[in-house]
Amino acid sequence: MAQPAYDARALALRLIDCVLRHQRMLSEALGDEDVESLPPEIKARGQRLAVEVLRHLSRADAAMKPYIQQPVSPPVKAILRLGVVELLALDGAPHGVVNAAVGLTRRHQGTARAKGLVNAILRRVSEDGREAWDKAPAQRMPKWLRGRVGGAFGNAAASAIELAHERGAPLDLSVKGDAAALAEAVGGEVLPTGSVRLAAGTRVSGLPGYDAGDWWVQDAGATLAAKMIGGTGLRVLDLCAAPGGKTMQLAAAGHEVTALDLSGRRLERLRANLERTGLTAQVVTEDALHWEPEAPFDAVLLDAPCSATGTLRRHPDLPHVREADAIKELTQLQAQMLDRAAGFVKPGGQVIYCVCSLLPAEGEAQLAAALERLPELERDAGAEDLPGVPAEWHAPDGGLRLRPDFWAERGGIDGFFVAALRRRGDAG
């Protein structure tokens, strides 16, 4: 279905095909040469449409199912799904949406004969599809993930998490100065944990204070790890630091920060973020499994590589790309990096471990295994008692367990596990 040039709808179909048929992340597909050369407004709208279709696949299929009498080809089904989502999720004008879908169908020899079918189905959906759409469940997580999430938190929680994924994510800002003043300036809400929250889709670069570097984009859940580091003016190592949200938090809190990451490309973005915000850190491009510091640190923050299953509300493409068999390799890497982090910190210092994952294997189980494997570490439970954190976020055996269905009335929060550890011994 590729063409030399795309409008936003054609690009959306290209992106959806990349995810569903080729198991490629949207971010990767958007980096293709012919896509990168498109005007920014087409790329942005095409990506938004693709994201909405991926969020609503099951509802779209339910809404058009009564009007499909025989199987349709995958390209035609993609056009129908896009049209249904535009009609019922995005409230598009029926005439314009149907005409656009028919136009997309005409463009290619393989789909042109289905133009009458697409026209008829979408017209019926626009008239009578709302009830089936509303009754359908939210898009389900893949079986391997839903089974693990349901086993850990219950099937009702799994359904609530799926509904949170469908709703998407608002925009959270971390603020260098007065959060209340920024919230008033941008029309946002100060969350109990201190972040400023705005509606999804807010144009970031147009907000007051962007050019001055007064704030940066960071999910409220992602801020909690850096807040567990006590004291001021500490030497802190931020492992797997890019793109830099936690680095900026630590630097803004007055710490002397070393930001380490394996990816030089991602560290370029970190450097740009530091420059915009006027904050400083020593940036190191190294593999944490082999790098050796000149001296131990007062604290180490490890944001470990993980399945990223806590971010599905932002990345609905991820379930179609990630496979269950990758989890074992990830948990092994997390354990190795925790061992390294423990060796980087001085006696009496802290190790903060976090992952943006919903899976206990990457969170609660890693904490338990680390405490058993590393006798030099102990829980630093007091560091986990953070202002604004509800009691239900505290995991029974230590750490904070965040889920996307928490704070539902405020727009949810990314799924995270965060835990504070301390190296035994005298800090002096």
Side-chain angles (χ1 to χ4, degrees):
M1 297 176 65
Q3 292 289 306
Y6 299 87
D7 59 25
R9 288 183 173 97
L11 175 59
L13 292 177
R14 152 78 174 264
L15 296 175
I16 293 164
D17 183 66
C18 284
V19 173
L20 298 184
R21 194 159 65 91
H22 299 289
Q23 287 76 55
R24 298 177 67 202
M25 293 292 291
L26 284 174
S27 57
E28 180 188 352
L30 286 163
D32 289 347
E33 186 176 350
D34 57 338
V35 175
E36 276 203 322
S37 63
L38 293 172
E41 61 274 13
I42 289 180
K43 286 192 291 184
R45 182 157 185 258
Q47 182 179 6
R48 284 196 299 272
L49 288 171
V51 165
E52 289 301 322
V53 171
L54 293 170
R55 279 189 181 134
H56 295 96
L57 289 174
S58 59
R59 289 194 194 274
D61 290 350
M64 64 186 179
K65 182 179 179 180
Y67 314 115
I68 297 179
Q69 306 304 320
Q70 57 188 9
V72 297
S73 68
V76 172
K77 187 173 185 179
I79 293 170
L80 287 169
R81 281 171 160 173
L82 175 59
V84 172
V85 167
E86 285 197 78
L87 289 168
L88 300 181
L90 303 177
D91 296 322
H95 181 74
V97 171
V98 173
N99 282 351
V102 171
L104 287 169
T105 311
R106 285 195 181 113
R107 288 189 189 187
H108 306 284
Q109 186 175 357
T111 58
R113 287 186 296 178
K115 61 183 183 293
L117 178 70
V118 167
N119 180 73
I121 290 174
L122 291 182
R123 287 188 182 279
R124 292 295 304 276
V125 168
S126 70
E127 296 166 358
D128 304 314
R130 174 62 65 182
E131 183 177 0
W133 172 280
D134 290 342
K135 286 183 177 179
Q139 178 65 23
R140 283 202 162 202
M141 293 176 275
K143 289 182 180 179
W144 70 264
L145 178 56
R146 196 177 209 278
R148 287 168 169 81
V149 171
F153 311 119
N155 289 332
S159 296
I161 288 169
E162 288 164 343
L163 190 58
H165 290 164
E166 183 183 68
R167 290 171 176 159
L171 178 72
D172 292 346
L173 308 179
S174 289
V175 187
K176 284 192 335 191
D178 186 341
L182 178 65
E184 184 175 356
V186 300
E189 169 196 7
V190 180
L191 297 175
T193 52
S195 298
V196 173
R197 174 159 289 185
L198 295 97
T202 302
R203 190 168 68 88
V204 172
S205 59
L207 294 173
Y210 175 82
D211 292 330
D214 294 339
W215 48 264
W216 56 93
V217 176
Q218 188 179 22
D219 182 78
T223 68
L224 301 183
K227 291 177 179 180
M228 289 183 183
I229 294 178
T232 56
L234 303 179
R235 290 184 64 250
V236 181
L237 172 63
D238 185 7
L239 283 177
C240 308
K246 298 176 184 67
T247 296
M248 289 183 284
Q249 272 187 279
L250 294 167
H255 299 305
E256 179 186 337
V257 186
T258 298
L260 185 143
D261 201 282
L262 179 62
S263 171
R265 181 183 60 82
R266 283 168 54 82
L267 282 174
E268 290 177 8
R269 184 177 169 193
L270 183 148
R271 288 189 177 93
N273 283 329
L274 288 172
E275 182 177 358
R276 183 179 67 82
T277 56
L279 298 168
T280 59
Q282 180 184 3
V283 180
V284 178
T285 309
E286 289 283 355
D287 185 342
L289 296 180
H290 303 292
W291 176 74
E292 293 292 343
E294 295 180 359
F297 291 86
D298 298 308
V300 177
L301 192 163
L302 170 58
D303 187 355
C306 71
S307 64
T309 47
T311 67
L312 267 60
R313 64 194 194 128
R314 302 179 186 278
H315 303 292
D317 48 335
L318 193 147
H320 303 283
V321 177
R322 191 78 74 209
E323 299 289 345
D325 55 11
I327 304 302
K328 182 177 180 180
E329 184 177 342
L330 283 169
T331 56
Q332 291 172 344
L333 177 59
Q334 291 155 8
Q336 288 178 292
M337 298 197 75
L338 260 170
D339 290 352
R340 295 289 289 169
F344 292 153
V345 72
K346 64 175 58 174
Q350 287 181 296
V351 174
I352 310 299
Y353 173 77
C354 69
V355 283
C356 54
S357 170
L358 292 174
L359 302 177
E362 299 182 272
E364 291 87 338
Q366 283 288 11
L367 173 62
L371 290 171
E372 184 174 340
R373 185 177 68 249
L374 303 168
E376 66 270 31
L377 295 183
E378 60 184 353
R379 273 198 64 209
D380 186 8
E384 297 167 1
D385 291 328
L386 298 174
V389 171
E392 67 174 338
W393 294 9
H394 286 263
D397 297 319
L400 301 181
R401 165 51 69 191
L402 281 62
R403 300 190 334 225
D405 57 318
F406 290 168
W407 269 359
E409 72 285 359
R410 290 189 167 96
I413 194 164
D414 280 357
F416 268 92
F417 181 81
V418 192
L421 301 163
R422 191 171 291 276
R423 187 179 179 98
R424 300 178 193 272
D426 185 355

